[in-house]
């Protein structure tokens, strides 16, 4: 099996990959249906209304992520995932019934978006850390990359399929399909072989556990840099649901099918980025910063595209660089964080990554209404370029590094001469990774001998 798909040799991860793929297709279908329902049925082409829905969906990330991370570190992760997946399915079914019976109003979508955000706030840190239970530590980067491959393969299928179904039967049935799709994940979780799951430490009970996670992140300047870059890009740049809907509908005068096509075309880029990420052995902070800069440049070019076809074509590099940034950030943090602290650290990462959306989406929606859809894309491009440049300058000054770029030689972006503090952080991360790998192998040997 090639290095790209290496983690699929593990039975539990194969189950997870297939179940997650089915559920992700349903999730992407619902995202398209929800935005189209709000934009064309429940409002008069209001980008602000779409922005509010998106913001409410991610608002709980800001409020609940630290607590959710502690829950992920303390309780059995597989059981938690069964509970959260079931809750997400019930919410999708409830909204679908309202739409199909013709009683759905805009405030109903607001309420369900908020409920979806609450459940997702608990689901995300568990989902992120559960990967480390299915594969050995040495294969974690590959598994994280394949998770993104599953997510973006679904993104390739879901939006286009949703656009066709919206035109054929309306958005209501898409919510019902999504509700059923969560059954695939639940089924895969119940079939897993418990004896083959990796034994990871759990956080003990006691006061100050959430505060300990925050303090851990505060002492890690490498994680702080990643959080700042990802937070700004996510808030103002990763609003594709909003920007694609308004560009397709308002700027180019297209329908639901063309809107869905934009998501599928972007998925070509994100899928390519995910497959590249699966082959990457050890991402670094420099990859996060470089990908954010490239994303901003690509998005700026996209905002200037004069036709729908050219705009859609630019979705490919935009998707590629955005996915590269996200997987590099995710894997870098997980690989360099102590296992007992991983749930809390990943919850803080998800809080910044997804929780910044309630701040950014209404702003981007307002910009779209006031200055036009192109500026809603452009503001994300400008913000991404500025934060990437700012992060590079800060790293160069505080870590005492020399940054160089070469188009002809690998690595293209080279960071030479790290300062003593950064070196200690990387060495400590390597030691923790070695301990996890050794502990997992010892646990497997004890299981085999028993």
């Amino acid at each position: 099996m090639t290095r790209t798909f290496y983690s699929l040799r593990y039975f539990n991860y194969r189950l997870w990959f297939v179940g997650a793929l089915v559920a992700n297709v349903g999730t992407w279908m619902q995202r398209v249906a929800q935005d189209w329902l709000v934009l064309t049925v429940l409002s008069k082409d209001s980008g602000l209304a779409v922005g509010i829905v998106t913001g409410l969906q991610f608002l709980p990330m800001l409020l609940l992520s630290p607590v959710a991370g502690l829950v992920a570190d303390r309780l059995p992760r597989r059981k938690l995932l069964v509970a959260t997946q079931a809750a997400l399915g019930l919410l999708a079914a409830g909204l679908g019934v309202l739409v199909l019976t013709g009683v759905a109003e805009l405030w109903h979508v607001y309420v369900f978006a908020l409920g979806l955000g609450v459940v997702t706030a608990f689901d995300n840190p568990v989902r992120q850390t559960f990967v480390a239970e299915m594969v050995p530590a040495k294969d974690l980067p590959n598994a994280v990359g394949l998770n993104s491959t599953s997510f973006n393969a679904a993104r390739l299928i879901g939006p286009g399929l949703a656009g066709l179904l919206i035109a054929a039967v309306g958005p209501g049935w898409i919510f019902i399909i999504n509700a059923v799709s969560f059954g695939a994940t639940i089924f895969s979780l119940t079939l897993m072989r418990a004896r083959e799951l990796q034994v990871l430490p759990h956080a003990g009970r006691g006061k100050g556990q959430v505060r300990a996670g925050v303090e851990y992140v505060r002492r890690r300047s490498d994680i702080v840099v990643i959080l700042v870059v990802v937070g700004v890009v996510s808030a103002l740049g990763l609003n594709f649901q909003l920007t694609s809907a308004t560009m397709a509908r308002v700027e180019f005068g297209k329908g639901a099918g063309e809107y869905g096509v934009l998501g599928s075309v972007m998925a070509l880029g994100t899928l390519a980025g995910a497959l590249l990420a699966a082959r990457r052995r050890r991402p670094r902070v420099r990859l996060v910063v470089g990908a954010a800069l490239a994303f901003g440049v690509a998005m700026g070019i996209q905002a200037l595209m004069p036709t729908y076809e050219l705009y859609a074509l630019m979705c490919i590099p935009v998707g590629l660089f955005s996915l590269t940034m996200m997987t590099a950030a995710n894997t870098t943090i997980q690989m360099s964080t102590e296992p007992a602290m991983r749930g809390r650290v990943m919850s803080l990462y998800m809080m910044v990554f997804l929780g910044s959306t309630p701040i950014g989406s209404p702003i981007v929606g307002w910009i779209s209404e006031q200055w036009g859809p192109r500026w809603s894309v452009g503001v994300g491009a400008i913000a991404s370029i500025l934060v990437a440049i700012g992060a590079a300058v800060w790293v160069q000054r505080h870590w005492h590094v020399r940054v160089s770029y070469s188009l002809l030689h690998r690595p293209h972006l080279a960071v030479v001469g790290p300062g003593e503090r950064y070196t200690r952080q990387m060495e400590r991360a390597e030691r923790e990774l070695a301990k996890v790998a050794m502990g997992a192998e010892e646990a497997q040997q004890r299981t085999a001998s028993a």
Side-chain angles (χ1 to χ4, degrees):
M1 185 174 292
T2 64
R3 193 172 78 190
T4 303
F5 301 100
Y6 194 73
S7 294
L8 291 178
R9 69 187 183 127
Y10 301 107
F11 175 78
N12 287 338
Y13 187 79
R14 285 200 303 274
L15 286 175
W16 170 262
F17 184 86
V18 174
L21 178 62
V22 175
N24 285 332
V25 170
T27 298
W28 275 110
M29 290 173 64
Q30 174 162 322
R31 288 184 179 184
V32 172
Q34 177 179 276
D35 290 345
W36 198 254
L37 175 71
V38 172
L39 189 66
T40 64
V41 179
L42 303 180
S43 73
K44 296 181 179 179
D45 295 334
S46 174
L48 180 59
V50 177
I52 291 174
V53 170
T54 304
L56 288 172
Q57 188 169 316
F58 294 107
L59 178 63
M61 303 293 175
L62 286 172
L63 305 177
L64 300 176
S65 284
V67 176
L70 180 58
V71 171
D73 278 338
R74 181 173 290 174
L75 299 179
R77 297 180 181 95
R78 186 163 59 138
K79 293 181 180 179
L80 281 174
L81 279 172
V82 171
T84 56
Q85 295 294 295
L88 291 171
L90 290 174
L91 286 169
L95 184 56
V97 170
L98 289 178
V99 176
L100 289 175
T101 55
V103 299
E105 297 181 13
L106 187 58
W107 70 269
H108 289 139
V109 181
Y110 289 163
V111 171
F112 274 89
L114 184 62
L116 182 65
V118 171
V119 179
T120 304
F122 286 90
D123 181 76
N124 274 328
V126 185
R127 177 187 290 269
Q128 298 294 327
T129 55
F130 185 62
V131 179
E133 293 192 6
M134 292 182 286
V135 300
K138 61 183 179 65
D139 294 324
L140 184 58
N142 177 256
V144 172
L146 286 179
N147 272 3
S148 297
T149 302
S150 170
F151 185 77
N152 289 285
R155 189 176 187 173
L156 183 63
I157 301 169
L161 184 58
L164 295 174
L165 289 176
I166 289 173
V169 297
W173 282 107
I174 295 177
F175 297 113
I176 302 299
I177 293 172
N178 184 41
V180 175
S181 72
F182 285 108
T185 305
I186 296 173
F187 186 61
S188 69
L189 289 166
T190 58
L191 289 180
M192 286 185 179
R193 299 168 182 167
R195 66 182 183 277
E196 294 181 10
L197 293 173
Q198 308 297 312
V199 180
L200 297 180
H202 288 269
R205 296 186 178 274
K207 295 182 179 180
Q209 297 291 327
V210 174
R211 185 170 60 252
V214 175
E215 182 63 22
Y216 179 88
V217 171
R218 191 186 67 81
R219 294 195 306 265
R220 293 284 303 275
S221 62
D222 55 333
I223 295 180
V224 172
V225 169
I226 292 174
L227 294 183
V228 171
V229 172
V230 170
V232 173
V233 175
S234 177
L236 299 175
L238 300 181
N239 291 286
F240 302 134
Q241 293 173 256
L242 168 60
T243 55
S244 294
T246 54
M247 285 294 292
R249 173 79 173 181
V250 179
E251 186 68 24
F252 297 119
K254 302 297 183 179
E258 290 84 356
Y259 167 44
V261 166
L262 289 180
S264 294
V265 173
M266 183 172 290
L268 293 173
T270 54
L271 183 59
L275 291 172
L276 290 174
R279 295 182 60 83
R280 199 173 292 121
R281 293 187 182 276
R282 184 67 186 269
R284 303 285 186 180
V285 176
R286 63 173 177 255
L287 181 60
V288 179
V289 176
L293 178 62
F295 168 76
V297 172
M299 201 172 184
I301 296 172
Q302 185 183 38
L304 301 175
M305 290 294 99
T307 66
Y308 169 83
E309 290 75 18
L310 290 175
Y311 182 87
L313 184 64
M314 281 304 301
C315 285
I316 297 176
V318 168
L320 171 65
F321 293 127
S322 65
L323 196 282
T324 299
M325 182 198 70
M326 288 184 283
T327 54
N330 187 315
T331 309
T332 301
I333 292 177
Q334 288 213 55
M335 292 292 290
S336 63
T337 301
E338 297 175 15
M341 194 70 68
R342 191 172 290 157
R344 279 163 286 179
V345 174
M346 288 307 298
S347 71
L348 292 173
Y349 167 72
M350 299 306 295
M351 180 179 71
V352 172
F353 175 47
L354 299 177
S356 59
T357 303
I359 300 172
S361 287
I363 295 174
V364 174
W366 179 81
I367 290 173
S368 177
E369 288 195 351
Q370 297 298 315
W371 297 334
R374 290 188 184 278
W375 272 108
S376 68
V377 180
V379 71
I382 295 170
S384 300
I385 292 171
L386 291 178
V387 74
I389 293 175
V393 171
W394 188 94
V395 165
Q396 189 170 9
R397 290 181 178 179
H398 288 78
W399 291 352
H400 308 293
V401 300
R402 177 170 55 85
V403 181
S404 61
Y405 180 81
S406 174
L407 183 63
L408 301 177
H409 303 286
R410 291 180 178 272
H412 300 301
L413 185 66
V415 182
V416 183
E420 183 177 337
R421 182 181 180 187
Y422 181 66
T423 302
R424 287 199 304 268
Q425 290 173 342
M426 292 298 101
E427 289 175 347
R428 184 169 63 249
E430 296 286 355
R431 288 196 300 269
E432 292 296 336
L433 180 61
K435 289 179 182 178
V436 173
M438 185 178 298
E441 290 176 1
E442 290 177 353
Q444 288 180 335
Q445 291 174 358
R446 289 196 299 269
T447 302
S449 62

